[in-house]
Amino acid sequence: MPVPTPSAPAPPLAAASVPAEEIAAQVAGLYGPDAARMAPCLALGTFERVGSNWLSDSLRPVMPQHNEPFRQQLGRQHPLSPCNRIPVDLSGAALGALGRHHLACALSDLYGQPRHLVKETNLFFATDTVLRLLPHSPVVVLTRAPIGVASSFEHGRLWERWAYGQRYTQVAVTARSPRRRDFASLVPLDDPAAPVALGRLIALNALLLAEALADSGRDVTVVPYEQHVGDRHAVLAGLAEHLGITLPSGAPPSTPGAVRGVLDPTFVTTGGKNELVAELAPGTADLVRTHVATTVARARAFLDEQVTATAAEWLADDDRYDVRGPTTPRRTPARTQASAGPVSPAAYLPVAGGALWRDHLVTNAEMAELLTMLQAAGLPNTHLGTNLLVCPMPHERGGRLHRDARTRQWKISPGYETHPASWVTWLGAAAVAAWLGARLPTRAEAVEATADARAYNCDYAVGDTSPVLEPGRSSADVHHLVGNVQIWCGDGPALAPGTPAQRHLFGAAWNTPGTSDAIGEVRSRYLLGSSRGVGIRPVRDERTSASTGLGAWELAHRLNGWIDALDGPARPTGELDCLLISMLTGS
């Protein structure tokens, strides 16, 4: 993927209170007259389980992907997080210096040529602000009939697994803020049963999305889930024409369906579904339908008629489903793949070129140890909702690292101690490498080292990460030279002075293709970005060894110094990124 070079050095981001439109203009200004052509396409779901993963995987060969950067990668305190219970406030006090810097870099990361795809579902009250931050972006609205969503929730136990009871309360409290008080009637605090609450939330998110899009003049395409189940080729062809992209030849990925042999098929898109069936207990479908309709009806008292009509249209198609009682067992929480045994102390082995490659990926246990020590040294991972080193996702959303506020220790989801660390930012990866007396490989080194390697654990073969010791390999081998997770590199694309820095990603992950073309694709992300499929592979050379490693106190001192610099005199974001890189790598 070629990385565009902005037209001029980036101006510093204002440190005081700035509206979303001003931040958006500053970032779009980096790309001058090309901003509209390079702005990302937003794929916004009326709810979860609307086919967004299928869409992402279908378009991945031609559109770089960003999976829920607002909903997933921001902590609860962040003003843009959909989990924040207060109205959106992008003032300096609400974001903090690190938050302001992160937001500018994150938005810049979404622009590119070819156009990127940004998938978001369930933004609720953050929807209008996200649209204001990306004013040039075309929108694809992904819809699904409510009982189809409910069936997926029932089959996957998603209401319990994803803590939607808490989510309902959070949304209901937010609806009672002064600016959003009209919406309080749509989400009563009456301890509703799960099907009732689900119907209300489905309708509320659709209404908020319809309202935000109503007067935006936005280029909008609607893709109903039911339509792409019926004719996937036609849907993709229409999208390709609308977005001005050319899809590769061959069959598109199947619509998610039953998949055997993987630990957790929740996000797998390699199965197949060719019929519309809602497997729901007696009465559940009626409860969901009734409370979707009631919520939309109540909204007519204060929302424009066109807004409610649009939402109602998106929430139609219940009658296209064959409603049956559950015939397949509900999914149980994912099991971990059996560990290949204890992980021996790391060795660094020759592969190709001059660098020595660590024989296994950095584990969750190692990452948790460093996070705990950095916390004790005065460097918390999260600052006003902006994550510095890792994105601490809930376990049921793929997170394996969790901070225990009571003990001030970082814990690991049981059974995942020897799995590779993921959801790690470049900053986190570089910090781990420096702590281990190593560095991150360059992209060229990674290409050379993996020239004849075959990916292991990719393309949803397992449905999750696997232990870092690869079956069939010995202590004399490098395990998962390709596969399990992609890795951060120590270098990145050349960009204009002052532009937010990016660093390359390389390889294949459990949830990405393992073809040679996919492995070698040139891609990069900003320094505080993270993903469930990206981890850490340190290397050593003549300048690095165990004796050159930095202790946790030294790392904390350097990184706190960088955060302090963010709150100093205004400087271009790229200049501040270069300062961070030099603090961690000396380059």
Side-chain angles (χ1 to χ4, degrees):
M1 175 187 77
V3 178
T5 302
S7 58
L13 187 67
S17 175
V18 283
E21 290 81 2
E22 185 174 336
I23 298 174
Q26 289 178 346
V27 173
L30 296 173
Y31 305 99
D34 293 325
R37 182 174 58 89
M38 297 169 64
C41 172
L42 286 170
L44 303 178
T46 53
F47 209 70
E48 301 202 63
R49 316 308 294 166
V50 293
S52 57
N53 289 323
W54 172 83
L55 179 71
S56 293
D57 286 347
S58 299
L59 299 181
R60 188 184 305 277
V62 293
M63 297 184 77
Q65 306 286 307
H66 301 267
N67 185 30
E68 299 181 333
F70 295 101
R71 193 166 76 91
Q72 289 194 358
Q73 300 194 27
L74 302 176
R76 184 181 294 273
Q77 286 181 286
H78 196 285
L80 276 176
S81 169
C83 294
N84 196 327
R85 299 190 181 203
I86 61 175
V88 173
D89 176 12
L90 296 183
S91 69
L95 277 174
L98 178 62
R100 293 193 304 271
H101 182 82
H102 169 266
L103 182 57
C105 295
L107 288 173
S108 175
D109 191 54
L110 304 180
Y111 283 74
Q113 192 58 233
R115 193 191 292 275
H116 295 206
L117 180 72
V118 178
K119 184 191 80 173
E120 285 285 358
T121 58
N122 285 11
L123 288 173
F124 288 107
F125 293 104
T127 304
D128 57 345
T129 304
V130 170
L131 287 172
R132 295 203 309 274
L133 287 169
L134 294 165
H136 303 294
S137 292
V139 172
V140 174
V141 174
L142 303 173
T143 73
R144 188 178 185 182
I147 64 169
V149 173
S151 177
S152 185
F153 264 65
E154 173 68 17
H155 183 53
R157 299 181 62 250
L158 302 184
W159 185 267
E160 300 90 350
R161 289 173 58 194
W162 292 352
Y164 257 89
Q166 297 176 28
R167 191 72 187 278
Y168 180 89
T169 302
Q170 171 258 316
V171 170
V173 170
T174 305
R176 282 152 177 78
S177 62
R179 191 166 68 91
R180 293 296 194 177
R181 194 165 290 156
D182 285 342
F183 289 90
S185 64
L186 309 188
V187 277
L189 286 167
D190 55 357
D191 193 24
V196 174
L198 180 61
R200 292 171 178 172
L201 289 177
I202 290 171
L204 174 63
N205 192 65
L207 288 161
L208 289 168
L209 179 56
E211 181 192 36
L213 290 172
D215 300 317
S216 67
R218 197 75 60 141
D219 183 12
V220 178
T221 299
V222 179
V223 178
Y225 178 94
E226 294 75 19
Q227 190 177 99
H228 74 66
V229 168
D231 194 342
R232 295 183 286 276
H233 289 275
V235 169
L236 284 178
L239 271 176
E241 181 178 359
H242 176 74
L243 296 175
I245 58 177
T246 302
L247 291 171
S249 59
S254 301
T255 303
V259 180
R260 299 182 183 276
V262 298
L263 297 177
D264 183 1
T266 304
F267 301 108
V268 176
T269 62
T270 52
K273 176 177 282 190
N274 297 296
E275 58 180 349
L276 297 172
V277 176
E279 295 188 0
L280 294 168
T284 299
D286 288 338
L287 280 175
V288 173
R289 284 194 195 101
T290 297
H291 286 277
V292 166
T294 299
T295 303
V296 173
R298 287 176 175 169
R300 294 190 179 103
F302 59 91
L303 287 178
D304 183 84
E305 181 181 355
Q306 185 58 48
V307 170
T308 57
T310 298
E313 182 179 351
W314 291 345
L315 299 174
D317 286 339
D318 274 348
D319 58 352
R320 295 185 62 179
Y321 282 76
D322 180 10
V323 181
R324 307 172 186 169
T327 58
T328 55
R330 299 179 83 202
R331 292 176 188 153
T332 56
R335 307 179 308 280
T336 61
Q337 189 179 34
S339 173
V343 179
S344 302
Y348 288 81
L349 306 174
V351 177
L356 300 176
W357 285 64
R358 195 175 193 256
D359 61 349
H360 60 266
L361 296 158
V362 171
T363 65
N364 284 316
E366 292 172 297
M367 194 75 217
E369 180 184 1
L370 179 58
L371 289 168
T372 296
M373 291 193 296
L374 290 173
Q375 179 81 35
L379 181 72
N381 176 66
T382 304
H383 300 247
L384 295 176
T386 298
N387 298 311
L388 193 66
L389 303 151
V390 300
C391 181
M393 294 292 292
H395 175 81
E396 293 294 355
R397 294 283 188 176
R400 309 298 181 228
L401 293 162
H402 319 281
R403 183 174 179 269
D404 187 328
R406 183 181 59 83
T407 64
R408 299 182 182 179
Q409 304 282 313
W410 279 80
K411 306 289 186 177
I412 306 155
S413 296
Y416 286 88
E417 292 81 0
T418 64
H419 284 234
S422 60
W423 287 114
V424 182
T425 67
W426 180 87
L427 190 159
V432 168
W435 175 57
L436 295 172
R439 63 174 174 83
L440 300 177
T442 66
R443 186 181 186 280
E445 288 174 326
V447 169
E448 183 179 11
T450 60
D452 299 316
R454 183 176 179 179
Y456 178 86
N457 188 15
C458 60
D459 205 19
Y460 298 103
V462 175
D464 201 345
T465 57
S466 56
V468 296
L469 297 184
E470 186 178 340
R473 293 196 177 272
S474 71
S475 58
D477 296 321
V478 175
H479 296 246
H480 296 113
L481 190 56
V482 181
N484 214 357
V485 290
Q486 297 176 6
I487 58 171
W488 279 108
C489 295
D491 62 339
L495 300 173
T499 302
Q502 296 185 3
R503 284 297 178 258
H504 288 304
L505 304 172
F506 184 82
W510 64 271
N511 58 348
T512 67
T515 64
S516 57
D517 286 346
I519 292 169
E521 180 188 355
V522 179
R523 52 193 177 273
S524 58
R525 294 216 60 193
Y526 69 109
L527 304 186
L528 294 180
S530 63
S531 167
R532 187 177 176 182
V534 177
I536 315 166
R537 169 84 70 181
V539 300
R540 283 181 176 168
D541 55 23
E542 67 278 0
R543 297 179 293 107
T544 52
S545 66
S547 62
T548 66
L550 298 178
W553 286 94
E554 175 64 20
L555 282 169
H557 174 71
R558 293 187 184 194
L559 293 176
N560 277 323
W562 178 69
I563 294 172
D564 289 342
L566 298 178
D567 213 12
R571 300 161 70 176
T573 51
E575 184 179 320
L576 290 163
D577 281 348
C578 288
L579 176 62
L580 170 63
I581 293 167
S582 67
M583 284 180 167
L584 288 176
T585 68
S587 62

